[in-house]
Amino acid sequence: GSLKLKKGRITKPSKSKSKKSKKSKSSIAQETPEEPTRQVKTEAELKHEQMLQKRKLEQIERQAQKSYRDRVKEFNEKLENTPEQHDMPRVGG
């Protein structure tokens, strides 16, 4: 049942009103087409993006120069030269 309040009953809006409101909203949208807003970037932002692209290309070129074996060999040499994490240095003589 519906709620009985002092002022009267609460009724749902009829379907015909909702159709009219949909039509009115769509007609408003047709009258004023939304133009895509183009955000203008500052000179600093453009320069920053150019530098990022340049660095990315340089990194790709460096990686392309070495083969997989060369990279693995360098990595293994680096690991051999670094001390082990849990090695305790000798104290005193």
Side-chain angles (χ1 to χ4, degrees), residues 75-90:
F75 181 70
N76 287 333
E77 288 174 0
K78 180 182 170 184
L79 289 178
E80 288 175 5
N81 292 333
T82 58
E84 300 246 350
Q85 182 177 3
H86 300 291
D87 276 356
M88 297 295 289
R90 288 196 167 174

Side-chain angles (χ1 to χ4, degrees), residues 11-25:
T11 58
K12 294 182 182 179
S14 64
K15 291 183 181 180
S16 62
K17 287 185 181 178
S18 64
K19 288 182 184 177
K20 288 181 184 177
S21 64
K22 288 181 184 177
K23 288 181 184 178
S24 65
K25 288 181 183 177

Side-chain angles (χ1 to χ4, degrees), residues 2-4 9 13-14 17 19 22 27 35 39-40 42 44 46-47 51 54 61-62 65 69-70 75 78 89 91 93:
S2 62
L3 294 174
K4 295 182 180 179
R9 294 185 181 176
S14 64
K17 287 185 181 178
K19 288 182 184 177
K22 288 181 184 177
S27 65
E35 296 179 12
Q39 294 188 7
V40 180
T42 63
L46 292 172
K47 199 170 191 178
M51 288 301 295
K54 183 179 176 182
E61 288 175 2
R62 275 188 276 129
Q65 290 176 353
R69 284 187 177 195
D70 293 337
F75 181 70
K78 180 182 170 184
V91 179

Side-chain angles (χ1 to χ4, degrees), residues 22-52:
K22 288 181 184 177
K23 288 181 184 178
S24 65
K25 288 181 183 177
S26 64
S27 65
I28 292 171
Q30 291 175 356
E31 291 173 5
T32 56
E34 295 181 18
E35 296 179 12
T37 56
R38 191 176 131 212
Q39 294 188 7
V40 180
K41 294 184 179 181
T42 63
E43 290 180 27
E45 289 174 331
L46 292 172
K47 199 170 191 178
H48 177 71
E49 287 181 358
Q50 289 174 352
M51 288 301 295
L52 288 178

